[in-house]
Coordinates of all heavy atoms in Angstrom, one line a residue:
D1 N 17.6 4.6 -47.8 CA 16.7 3.9 -47.0 C 16.1 4.8 -45.9 O 16.7 5.3 -45.0 CB 17.5 2.8 -46.2 CG 16.8 2.0 -45.2 OD1 15.5 2.1 -45.2 OD2 17.3 1.1 -44.4
L2 N 14.7 5.0 -46.1 CA 14.0 6.0 -45.3 C 13.1 5.2 -44.3 O 12.0 5.8 -43.8 CB 13.3 6.9 -46.1 CG 14.2 7.8 -46.9 CD1 13.3 8.6 -48.1 CD2 14.9 8.9 -46.1
S3 N 13.2 4.0 -44.2 CA 12.3 3.1 -43.4 C 12.1 3.7 -42.0 O 11.0 3.8 -41.3 CB 12.6 1.7 -43.4 OG 13.9 1.5 -42.9
W4 N 13.2 4.2 -41.3 CA 13.2 4.8 -40.1 C 12.2 6.0 -40.0 O 11.6 6.2 -39.0 CB 14.6 5.1 -39.5 CG 15.3 6.1 -40.5 CD1 16.0 5.9 -41.6 CD2 15.2 7.6 -40.4 NE1 16.4 7.1 -42.3 CE2 15.8 8.1 -41.5 CE3 14.4 8.4 -39.6 CZ2 16.0 9.5 -41.8 CZ3 14.5 9.8 -39.8 CH2 15.3 10.3 -40.9
F5 N 12.3 6.8 -41.1 CA 11.5 8.0 -41.2 C 10.0 7.6 -41.2 O 9.1 8.0 -40.5 CB 11.9 8.8 -42.5 CG 11.1 10.0 -42.6 CD1 11.4 11.2 -42.0 CD2 9.9 10.0 -43.3 CE1 10.7 12.4 -42.1 CE2 9.1 11.2 -43.5 CZ 9.5 12.3 -42.9
W6 N 9.6 6.7 -42.2 CA 8.3 6.4 -42.3 C 7.7 5.6 -41.0 O 6.6 6.0 -40.6 CB 7.9 5.4 -43.4 CG 8.4 5.9 -44.8 CD1 9.5 5.4 -45.6 CD2 7.9 7.0 -45.5 NE1 9.6 6.2 -46.8 CE2 8.7 7.2 -46.7 CE3 6.9 7.9 -45.3 CZ2 8.3 8.1 -47.7 CZ3 6.5 8.9 -46.2 CH2 7.3 8.9 -47.4
H7 N 8.5 4.8 -40.4 CA 8.2 4.1 -39.1 C 7.9 5.2 -38.1 O 6.8 5.0 -37.3 CB 9.2 3.1 -38.8 CG 8.9 2.3 -37.5 ND1 9.2 2.7 -36.3 CD2 8.3 1.1 -37.4 CE1 8.7 1.9 -35.4 NE2 8.2 0.9 -36.0
T8 N 8.8 6.0 -38.0 CA 8.6 7.0 -36.8 C 7.4 7.9 -37.0 O 6.6 8.0 -36.1 CB 9.9 7.9 -36.8 OG1 11.0 7.2 -36.6 CG2 9.9 9.0 -35.7
W9 N 7.1 8.4 -38.2 CA 6.2 9.5 -38.2 C 4.8 9.0 -38.7 O 3.8 9.6 -38.5 CB 6.6 10.5 -39.4 CG 7.7 11.3 -38.8 CD1 9.1 11.2 -39.2 CD2 7.8 12.3 -37.8 NE1 9.9 12.0 -38.4 CE2 9.1 12.7 -37.6 CE3 6.7 12.8 -37.0 CZ2 9.4 13.7 -36.6 CZ3 7.0 13.7 -36.1 CH2 8.4 14.3 -35.9
L10 N 4.6 7.7 -39.2 CA 3.4 7.1 -39.6 C 3.0 6.0 -38.7 O 1.8 5.8 -38.5 CB 3.5 6.6 -41.0 CG 3.8 7.7 -42.1 CD1 3.8 7.0 -43.5 CD2 2.8 8.8 -42.1
Y11 N 3.9 5.2 -38.3 CA 3.5 4.0 -37.4 C 3.5 4.3 -35.9 O 3.0 3.5 -35.2 CB 4.4 2.9 -37.8 CG 4.2 2.3 -39.1 CD1 4.8 2.8 -40.2 CD2 3.3 1.2 -39.3 CE1 4.6 2.3 -41.5 CE2 3.2 0.6 -40.6 CZ 3.8 1.2 -41.7 OH 3.6 0.7 -42.9
T12 N 4.1 5.3 -35.4 CA 4.2 5.7 -34.1 C 3.7 7.2 -33.8 O 3.4 7.9 -34.8 CB 5.6 5.5 -33.4 OG1 6.4 6.8 -33.8 CG2 6.2 4.3 -34.1
T13 N 3.6 7.5 -32.5 CA 3.3 8.9 -32.1 C 4.6 9.4 -31.5 O 4.4 10.5 -30.8 CB 2.1 9.0 -31.2 OG1 2.5 8.1 -30.0 CG2 0.9 8.4 -31.8
A14 N 5.7 9.0 -31.9 CA 7.0 9.7 -31.4 C 7.1 11.1 -31.8 O 6.7 11.5 -32.9 CB 8.2 8.9 -31.9
T15 N 7.5 11.9 -30.8 CA 7.7 13.3 -31.1 C 9.3 13.7 -31.1 O 10.0 13.0 -30.7 CB 7.0 14.2 -30.1 OG1 7.3 13.8 -28.8 CG2 5.5 14.0 -30.3
L16 N 9.5 14.9 -31.6 CA 11.0 15.3 -31.9 C 11.2 16.5 -30.9 O 10.4 17.5 -30.7 CB 11.1 15.8 -33.3 CG 12.5 16.3 -33.5 CD1 13.5 15.2 -33.6 CD2 12.4 17.0 -35.0
D17 N 12.3 16.4 -30.1 CA 12.8 17.4 -29.3 C 14.4 17.3 -29.2 O 14.9 16.5 -28.4 CB 12.3 17.3 -27.8 CG 12.7 18.5 -27.0 OD1 13.4 19.4 -27.5 OD2 12.4 18.5 -25.7
Q18 N 15.0 18.0 -30.2 CA 16.4 18.1 -30.3 C 16.9 19.4 -29.5 O 16.3 20.4 -29.8 CB 17.0 18.1 -31.6 CG 16.6 16.8 -32.3 CD 16.9 16.9 -33.8 OE1 17.0 17.8 -34.4 NE2 17.1 15.6 -34.5
A19 N 18.0 19.4 -28.8 CA 18.4 20.5 -28.0 C 20.0 20.5 -27.9 O 20.7 19.5 -28.0 CB 17.9 20.3 -26.5
I20 N 20.4 21.8 -27.8 CA 21.9 22.0 -27.7 C 22.2 21.9 -26.2 O 21.6 22.7 -25.4 CB 22.2 23.4 -28.2 CG1 22.0 23.5 -29.8 CG2 23.7 23.7 -27.9 CD1 22.3 24.9 -30.3
S21 N 22.8 20.9 -25.8 CA 23.1 20.7 -24.4 C 24.3 21.7 -23.9 O 24.2 22.2 -22.8 CB 23.6 19.3 -24.1 OG 22.4 18.5 -24.3
S22 N 25.3 21.7 -24.7 CA 26.4 22.6 -24.3 C 27.3 23.0 -25.4 O 27.3 22.3 -26.5 CB 27.3 21.9 -23.2 OG 27.9 20.7 -23.8
V23 N 28.0 24.1 -25.3 CA 29.0 24.5 -26.2 C 30.3 25.0 -25.5 O 30.2 25.9 -24.7 CB 28.6 25.7 -27.2 CG1 29.7 26.2 -28.1 CG2 27.3 25.4 -27.9
E24 N 31.4 24.1 -25.5 CA 32.5 24.3 -24.7 C 33.7 24.4 -25.5 O 34.1 23.6 -26.4 CB 32.7 23.2 -23.8 CG 31.4 22.9 -22.8 CD 31.5 21.6 -21.9 OE1 32.2 20.7 -22.4 OE2 30.9 21.7 -20.9

């Protein structure tokens, strides 16, 4: 099920910013 993928990248202008917050 890739509906979340198509919806995000084709139907919206949402952008991606994934970050490493901490390593403990």
Side-chain angles (χ1 to χ4, degrees):
D1 180 0
L2 296 165
S3 56
W4 60 270
F5 179 89
W6 302 116
H7 182 272
T8 298
W9 293 106
L10 299 179
Y11 289 83
T12 78
T13 58
T15 52
L16 179 67
D17 185 6
Q18 297 173 338
I20 298 174
S21 293
S22 63
V23 178
E24 300 174 336

